[in-house]
Amino acid sequence: MDFFSKIFELFSTGKYMESIFEGLKNTFIISVFAALLGLLLGTVVAMVTIARPSAAMKLPKAICKIYLTVIRGTPMALQLFIMAYVVFAIRGFPQIITAIIAFGINSGAYVAENVRAGIMSVDIGQTEAGRALGLPSRVTMLKIVIPQAIKNVIPAIGNELIALIKETSIVSMIGMYDLTFAAKVIGGGNNMASYLIPMTVVALFYLAIVYALTLGIKIIEKRLRAGDKN
Amino acid sequence: MIKIENLKKSFGTLEVLRGINIEIAEGEKIAVIGPSGCGKSTFLRCINCMEDPTGGSIVFEGVDIADPKVDINIHREKIGMVFQQFNLFNNKTVIENIMLAPVYVGMKALRKKKKENRKIKLSNLFKRAEDKRPLLEITETKESIKASARARAEELLLRIGLLDKADEYPSRLSGGQKQRIAIVRALAMNPRVILFDEPTSALDPEMVGEVLDLMKTLADEGMTMVIVTHEMAFAREVASRVIFIADGQILEEGTPAEVFDSPKHPRLQDFLSKVL
Ligand SMILES: Nc1ncnc2c1ncn2[C@@H]1O[C@H](COP(=O)(O)OP(=O)(O)O)[C@@H](O)[C@H]1O
Ligand SMILES: [Mg+2]
């Protein structure tokens, strides 16, 4: 029962657990702030994308289109490298900020597509009724369309968050101390000299986070449906 | 009250309206009839610029609202619209549906007054005591605006016998109830005119009557109404004028008796022979 005794060793060794929690903390921080940035950016981009074409919107629309195409058409790892080694290649610039920005920008592109689809799925009659009453389009959006769109996009946004959390593991490639990096360190020659155990444990941590998030989303969905507003 | 001149509307290369001219006086009830796809909805939706006209003018209370430079929202507050598909706000209760726009308008006016007062205060700083302008009196508060909108909404719901549904969501109502609520939602803004786009076409037959009855009451009270309808009996009874649209133009207009009993244009004769 070498496997289980090794797992026990990992859990009972203070410095290993410290490594894991240090990594967990960074994974958590990157995920949460990148998700917030992504939601904000994605919503704004979605608004620009669906806005009526006009002279003033031409440039913003073009920028958003390029953003969506480039971000969704290139690998996340490459985007992270560019952020780390080109854009923020400033000595002493906190890596965690680099990671948050890189993942936030990436996530925003996918959120934008989800939000756009969610808004388009709300019956156009809802907007027309608001506008016909003299409500400006901003107010109609905020009070009528977006509340209904949110319900439609929650499952898709939830999937995006889950994907984001798992994808943050590539920050270990630029030497950042996240959950995955902690597994590498613990498994290294000076420590346990075996990757199987720490990698398994870390995988369980990811699983637990994702599972908890999935449950949370299910509950939110159910709550929204219980309102029976549609 | 509304004067429409040479109104044109195209969708891309499709020319739907080719120059509509009509003047609608206060208290008139205009029934708009015509074959499907002839542009009745487009005409109605141009009146409150839900569709931007491609040409012509729509003068409402002295302002050409077809001009893209005017703030259309202010005018839409005075032009109610009732849709075939009701379009109640699904995320709002019945009473919230009715209160939303009046509260918004009330709050907008309140913000404007407060802003004006800030300006007056600022300019007063630089004036001698005897030159200082008095502040505008503000009696409304957010609460009082909401309360009066609620009172008005309740009064309207009571009138159509649906006060007990005030806190329901639209999904729990029948089509006839939804449409009657959509009508009082428009009424809550105290509009000068209400536009109806086939208000009974999406209803089960047994619910058509209740909606038409409500519209008849409004008509009797003197509301100005423009009604796109296939209910010829209703048009005959309620309309002060019937207009027949085909080929993107008004081909014939007159009193219900003139239009229904002695149609002149062959297209109208043909249309009536199919629907009557
Ligand atoms: N938004 C639109 N884009 C393109 N074509 C439209 C649009 N709205 C209406 N049309 C076309 O304009 C014509 C008139 O439509 P409509 O006004 O809805 O007719 P009606 O209400 O008399 O049945 C139809 O041929 C319809 O296909
Ligand atoms: Mg129509």
Side-chain angles (χ1 to χ4, degrees), chain B residues 11 14 16 34-43 51 197-198 228:
Chain B
F11 294 105
L14 179 69
V16 179
S36 173
C38 70
K40 301 182 297 297
S41 297
T42 305
F43 166 61
E51 304 288 355
D197 192 356
E198 300 196 30
V228 173

Side-chain angles (χ1 to χ4, degrees), chain B residues 89-144:
Chain B
F89 304 131
N90 293 324
N91 61 325
K92 302 273 178 203
T93 60
V94 165
I95 196 146
E96 287 167 349
N97 261 276
I98 303 173
M99 289 167 60
L100 180 68
V103 169
Y104 171 78
V105 170
M107 292 300 295
K108 188 170 70 172
L110 177 61
R111 278 197 302 274
K112 201 170 156 195
K113 272 194 192 170
K114 284 184 173 166
K115 194 172 158 195
E116 187 60 31
N117 271 352
R118 280 198 298 275
K119 264 196 224 154
I120 295 175
K121 270 187 198 161
L122 188 68
S123 66
N124 279 351
L125 286 178
F126 305 101
K127 288 182 179 157
R128 281 172 301 167
E130 61 269 30
D131 290 342
K132 287 193 194 300
R133 276 171 63 198
L135 295 182
L136 301 173
E137 192 187 355
I138 299 183
T139 50
E140 308 92 336
T141 60
K142 187 174 180 186
E143 288 67 36
S144 76

Side-chain angles (χ1 to χ4, degrees), chain A residues 52 123 125-126 128-139 143-144 147-148 227-230, chain B residues 45 48 50 52 73 76-77 79 81 83 87-92 100-101 104 169 171-172 185 189:
Chain A
R52 268 220 260 185
D123 180 12
Q126 298 284 305
E128 292 194 339
R131 298 308 311 275
L133 283 163
L135 302 175
S137 85
R138 179 181 45 87
V139 176
K143 301 213 163 181
I144 310 296
Q148 295 182 54
D228 188 33
K229 294 180 177 182
N230 271 330
Chain B
R45 292 161 57 81
N48 63 350
M50 295 297 286
D52 291 321
N73 293 328
R76 282 184 183 152
E77 288 167 10
I79 307 177
M81 185 167 224
F83 301 85
N87 295 344
L88 292 182
F89 304 131
N90 293 324
N91 61 325
K92 302 273 178 203
L100 180 68
Y104 171 78
Y169 284 95
S171 59
R172 318 260 310 202
R185 176 176 70 178
M189 296 292 280

Side-chain angles (χ1 to χ4, degrees), chain A residues 90-148:
Chain A
I90 308 159
R91 196 184 302 270
F93 191 85
Q95 268 190 322
I96 199 155
I97 305 282
T98 307
I100 288 169
I101 292 174
F103 282 99
I105 288 178
N106 180 268
S107 184
Y110 294 94
V111 169
E113 284 302 286
N114 290 330
V115 171
R116 192 186 62 84
I119 288 174
M120 305 287 268
S121 72
V122 176
D123 180 12
I124 183 73
Q126 298 284 305
T127 308
E128 292 194 339
R131 298 308 311 275
L133 283 163
L135 302 175
S137 85
R138 179 181 45 87
V139 176
T140 310
M141 250 316 164
L142 241 50
K143 301 213 163 181
I144 310 296
V145 179
I146 290 181
Q148 295 182 54

Side-chain angles (χ1 to χ4, degrees), chain A residues 71-221:
Chain A
I71 296 297
R72 295 191 304 155
T74 56
M76 178 66 231
L78 190 64
Q79 292 167 24
L80 181 65
F81 290 163
I82 290 172
M83 282 293 172
Y85 302 132
V86 182
V87 181
F88 295 115
I90 308 159
R91 196 184 302 270
F93 191 85
Q95 268 190 322
I96 199 155
I97 305 282
T98 307
I100 288 169
I101 292 174
F103 282 99
I105 288 178
N106 180 268
S107 184
Y110 294 94
V111 169
E113 284 302 286
N114 290 330
V115 171
R116 192 186 62 84
I119 288 174
M120 305 287 268
S121 72
V122 176
D123 180 12
I124 183 73
Q126 298 284 305
T127 308
E128 292 194 339
R131 298 308 311 275
L133 283 163
L135 302 175
S137 85
R138 179 181 45 87
V139 176
T140 310
M141 250 316 164
L142 241 50
K143 301 213 163 181
I144 310 296
V145 179
I146 290 181
Q148 295 182 54
I150 284 177
K151 186 157 48 167
N152 297 339
V153 299
I154 282 204
I157 299 275
N159 285 339
E160 170 51 29
L161 290 183
I162 287 170
L164 170 68
I165 290 172
K166 292 181 294 182
E167 204 154 34
T168 58
S169 68
I170 62 173
V171 295
S172 58
M173 290 165 68
I174 58 166
M176 267 201 70
Y177 208 117
D178 77 328
L179 201 48
T180 304
F181 197 84
K184 267 199 236 171
V185 171
I186 297 170
N190 293 333
N191 294 313
M192 294 185 82
S194 150
Y195 289 113
L196 174 64
I197 306 302
M199 297 270 171
T200 308
V201 168
V202 161
L204 288 174
F205 271 91
Y206 278 109
L207 254 178
I209 296 169
V210 169
Y211 190 70
L213 191 60
T214 311
L215 278 184
I217 292 161
K218 279 237 173 76
I219 291 170
I220 293 175
E221 264 183 81

